[in-house]
Structures are given as structure tokens and as C-alpha cells.
């Protein structure tokens, strides 16, 4: 992952995810797109807890381990822990998966049933099959949308009470999010990771507020990899046509492993002037050696690599430079620094009065020329 830059939008477990990426050589840009309402201060959760103690549900659906634990701990802090657990002992308690099952048992409770698939769809199928008409259901939410789940239960005649554990709000400091947006639009990031749907939605909303939604979507569709921990997290992106990658197991470790496979494969290797050139977010590998490249140089290198072997004019390269203005001399300055950073000046050829080109090896010219214009 050396030379790749990955953005992290998570508010929770961001340090753990960042450490996993940095351990593999990546540079991390952390910008929490949301913040979590502290449980002791959450008046909505307190009201829902009191309501369920006063009017016991028939069924409780626990969706996440951390959410269920947080609910029990918050109730303890309010002096309602014993009353809540006593209520939950007398109801049908469904656990979405093994982690949730463990959290339920740690609270001294026993689940009635848990699906092997960890799928909310399977939970819904079971509930509808056994019948929920005129029954009162409590669903422990965790900031993630449950598309169709609550609606289907209500259509089947159930009374559904949401338990809003860990509600999300916009971050108090929006600066890091704006920097991540700017870096994504400028293609100076290789990937952006999402571990919750609210974070994905929050980033899109901030981009809309700044008038950057379309540039952000364009970057995520073509140049910057969107990586989500699971399908629910990916939904806000999918609604905008972003096909995010996700691991088969919805955990941080597999998410990092997925990035370790996907990013090098997407970067590819170009045979240039007898060398192997691998272009990454903030660096290039020349014959396997990592070469740090300044941001302006990376912008030029990416512009040249989009049409390897073909001449790119100074005017076009100038447009690729961030904040360069109208002076084409800025291209010459940035190009000189780029050649120095690469350590092999002959990788980039100057074509007099026309511009610059990557010195693609002759044997490879036809391969790249088939789909490229002059």
C-alpha cells in the first residue's frame, strides 16, 4: 500500500482502521463525516427506554453488538438497567448475528433465535412468517438505515418502536471533511472508505452544500475507489450510481485486505523507457522503488498516464495543475520537479513546441494506441 492515500470517513474505530492501513504502508487522511451523540446525553434513547419499560414489547430485535451493549450501559447510567433487563427477559429476543448474540448473553439474557446469515432479510422473513399483526416490536437501531424492514413490519400490522442507539449528527469541525472532499475531487486520494451509511450520506450532503456533488460523484465513479464495509453502508452511494467495492465479510480487517488487492490492481504498471512505472496517489514506483512526488507533479503524471505514449499539450497540462493560473511556465517548473522526483528524467520526453509524453516502450505502443487519440 506504499504510495497510496486512503480517506477515512468513520467516526468510530477510525484509529483502528487507520492503524491497519498505515501498517501496510498507506497514507491516511482522516475526516469523520459524522459524530455520534453521546449515549448519556441522548434524550431520544432515554424516552424510548422508559416507554418500553412501561409498555413491554412482544418482540425485540437487536441489530448490532455495540448498539445493544451501549443501550444496556446507558440504561445502567440512568438507573434503569435492572428494569430494562427484566423487561427483556420476558420478550421474544432476536439477535441479528453471533456478535449480537454474545452481547445479549453478556447482559445476562438469552436470545430466542439468531440467523446464521447475519441478514436482516432473514430476520424479517421469520417475523412475517410467524405473524406480527397487532404485536408490539422494538427494533434497536444503530444509525444505519434498515430499508424496507420497519415498513414491511408495519404493513403486516405490527406496532414498531425504534430504539435509536448511537444517533449521528454532522461533525462539529467540518474542516477535515472539506479537505477530504477537495482531495477526492483533485484525485489526490486513491480510495475513500465508509464504515456506516450515515457517514456516506454525510459526505454526499456536505458535497452538495459546497456545490461539489457532481465533481465528487465523477471522481468516485472513475478515479477514486469507494470502499464500504458492507452493502447497507454502500446504499447512499449506490443511489447516486457509485458502485462501491466491499468485502465478503463485513469487518474492518477484510475491508483493508480488499484495498490491498484492489488499489495495486487498479494502478497497473506502465513500461516506460525501459523501466516499470506504477503511479499511485502521492507517489510513484519506478522499478519497484517508491519515489515521493509533489502534488503538482502527481497531477502532471496522472494527466500523461491517461494517454500513455501520446503527446499532451502544455495547455492541457496547465489545466491539470491545481491552482496554476494561466502561465504555462508553471508546467515547466512542475515538470522539472517531477523528473527530479522520479529519479529517471527520460521517463518523460519533451516534444518541442507540442508538449510532453510518457516515453512508452515501443513494443507497447500499439496496445495503448488502440483506444487513444493523438
Amino acid at each position: 500500500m506504499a504510495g497510496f492515500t486512503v480517506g477515512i470517513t468513520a467516526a468510530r474505530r477510525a484509529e483502528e482502521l487507520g492503524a491497519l492501513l498505515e501498517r501496510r504502508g498507506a497514507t491516511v487522511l482522516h475526516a469523520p463525516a459524522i459524530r455520534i451523540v453521546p449515549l448519556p446525553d441522548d434524550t431520544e434513547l432515554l424516552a424510548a427506554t422508559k416507554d418500553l419499560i412501561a409498555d413491554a414489547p412482544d418482540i425485540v430485535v437487536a441489530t448490532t453488538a455495540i448498539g445493544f451493549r451501549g443501550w444496556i450501559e446507558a440504561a445502567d447510567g440512568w438507573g434503569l438497567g435492572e428494569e430494562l433487563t427484566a423487561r427483556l427477559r420476558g420478550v421474544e429476543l432476536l439477535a441479528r448475528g453471533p456478535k449480537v448474540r454474545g452481547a445479549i448473553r453478556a447482559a445476562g439474557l438469552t436470545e430466542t433465535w439468531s440467523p446464521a446469515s447475519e441478514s436482516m432479510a432473514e430476520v424479517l422473513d421469520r417475523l412475517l412468517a410467524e405473524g406480527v399483526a397487532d404485536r408490539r416490536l422494538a427494533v434497536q437501531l444503530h444509525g444505519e438505515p434498515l430499508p424496507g424492514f420497519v415498513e414491511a413490519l408495519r404493513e403486516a400490522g405490527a406496532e414498531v418502536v425504534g430504539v435509536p442507539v448511537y444517533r449521528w449528527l454532522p461533525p462539529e469541525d467540518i474542516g477535515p471533511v472539506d479537505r477530504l472532499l477537495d482531495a477526492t475531487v483533485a484525485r489526490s486520494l486513491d480510495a475513500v472508505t465508509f464504515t456506516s451509511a450515515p457517514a456516506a450520506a454525510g459526505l454526499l450532503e456536505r458535497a452538495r452544500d459546497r456545490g461539489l456533488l457532481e465533481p465528487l460523484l465523477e471522481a468516485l465513479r472513475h478515479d477514486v475507489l469507494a470502499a464500504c464495509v458492507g452493502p447497507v453502508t454502500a446504499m447512499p452511494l449506490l443511489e447516486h450510481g457509485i458502485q462501491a467495492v466491499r468485502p465478503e465479510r463485513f469487518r474492518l480487517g477484510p475491508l483493508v485486505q480488499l484495498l490491498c488487492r484492489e488499489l495495486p490492481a487498479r494502478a497497473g504498471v506502465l513500461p516506460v523507457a525501459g523501466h516499470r512505472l506504477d503511479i499511485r496517489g502521492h507517489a510513484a514506483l519506478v522499478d519497484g522503488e517508491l519515489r515521493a512526488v509533489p502534488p503538482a507533479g502527481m497531477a502532471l503524471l496522472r494527466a500523461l498516464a491517461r494517454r500513455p505514449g501520446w503527446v499532451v499539450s502544455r495547455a492541457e497540462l496547465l489545466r491539470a495543475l491545481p491552482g496554476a493560473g494561466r502561465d504555462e511556465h508553471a508546467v515547466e517548473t512542475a515538470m522539472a520537479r517531477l523528473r527530479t522526483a522520479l529519479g529517471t528524467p527520460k521517463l518523460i520526453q519533451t516534444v518541442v513546441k507540442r508538449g510532453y509524453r510518457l516515453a512508452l516502450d515501443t513494443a507497447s505502443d500499439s496496445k495503448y494506441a488502440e483506444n487513444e487519440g493523438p
Side-chain angles (χ1 to χ4, degrees), residues 7 76 208 264 350:
D76 282 335
R208 183 181 290 108
T350 301

Side-chain angles (χ1 to χ4, degrees), residues 77-308:
W78 296 322
L80 300 173
E82 291 185 6
E83 292 178 77
L84 177 60
T85 53
R87 270 293 184 221
L88 295 179
R89 284 192 184 94
V91 306
E92 183 178 343
L93 187 52
L94 307 185
R96 182 180 62 86
K99 284 192 173 184
V100 191
R101 190 165 63 239
I104 289 172
R105 294 179 182 180
L109 301 167
T110 304
E111 77 286 351
T112 306
W113 175 81
S114 178
S117 65
E118 301 186 47
S119 166
M120 289 301 292
E122 190 173 346
V123 175
L124 179 61
D125 288 344
R126 176 187 171 91
L127 288 170
L128 295 179
E130 70 180 30
V132 293
D134 300 321
R135 304 185 78 187
R136 180 172 164 87
L137 277 75
V139 180
Q140 172 249 309
L141 307 173
H142 185 56
E144 307 278 11
L146 296 174
F149 187 85
V150 172
E151 291 82 357
L153 292 173
R154 285 176 175 156
E155 287 178 5
E159 176 192 353
V160 182
V161 178
V163 182
V165 182
Y166 292 110
R167 289 187 298 117
W168 312 110
L169 293 177
E172 292 179 333
D173 181 6
I174 204 67
V177 176
D178 285 346
R179 286 191 288 274
L180 184 143
L181 281 172
D182 292 339
T184 305
V185 170
R187 276 70 169 176
S188 55
L189 288 181
D190 296 285
V192 181
T193 61
F194 301 93
T195 56
S196 73
L203 187 69
L204 294 170
E205 185 62 30
R206 180 57 182 170
R208 183 181 290 108
D209 292 343
R210 293 186 58 201
L212 290 176
L213 181 58
E214 285 307 316
L216 173 67
L217 296 176
E218 184 69 14
L220 292 176
R221 287 183 185 125
H222 301 292
D223 301 302
V224 180
L225 181 66
C228 295
V229 76
V232 173
T233 295
M235 287 192 64
L237 299 170
L238 188 60
E239 289 171 0
H240 286 82
I242 306 300
Q243 299 291 334
V245 299
R246 60 179 188 261
E248 292 183 5
R249 294 180 61 247
F250 310 147
R251 302 285 187 269
L252 293 188
L255 177 63
V256 172
Q257 292 168 8
L258 177 65
L259 288 170
C260 288
R261 294 193 303 270
E262 288 285 334
L263 288 180
R266 284 164 61 93
V269 177
L270 293 172
V272 181
H275 299 273
R276 293 169 57 84
L277 176 64
D278 184 344
I279 300 171
R280 301 187 171 186
H282 65 271
L285 267 68
V286 180
D287 296 331
E289 180 183 352
L290 189 67
R291 310 286 300 192
V293 178
M298 285 305 307
L300 294 183
L301 188 56
R302 280 191 289 269
L304 293 171
R306 277 193 283 272
R307 289 186 291 167

Side-chain angles (χ1 to χ4, degrees), residues 49-64:
T49 302
K50 288 181 174 179
D51 176 49
L52 293 173
I53 290 172
D55 185 4
D58 300 296
I59 302 170
V60 173
V61 180
T63 62
T64 63

Side-chain angles (χ1 to χ4, degrees), residues 2-23:
F4 290 117
T5 304
V6 179
I8 296 178
T9 61
R12 188 177 65 83
R13 299 183 69 187
E15 291 185 2
E16 179 183 349
L17 178 55
L20 288 171
L21 290 166
E22 289 173 345
R23 198 175 301 152

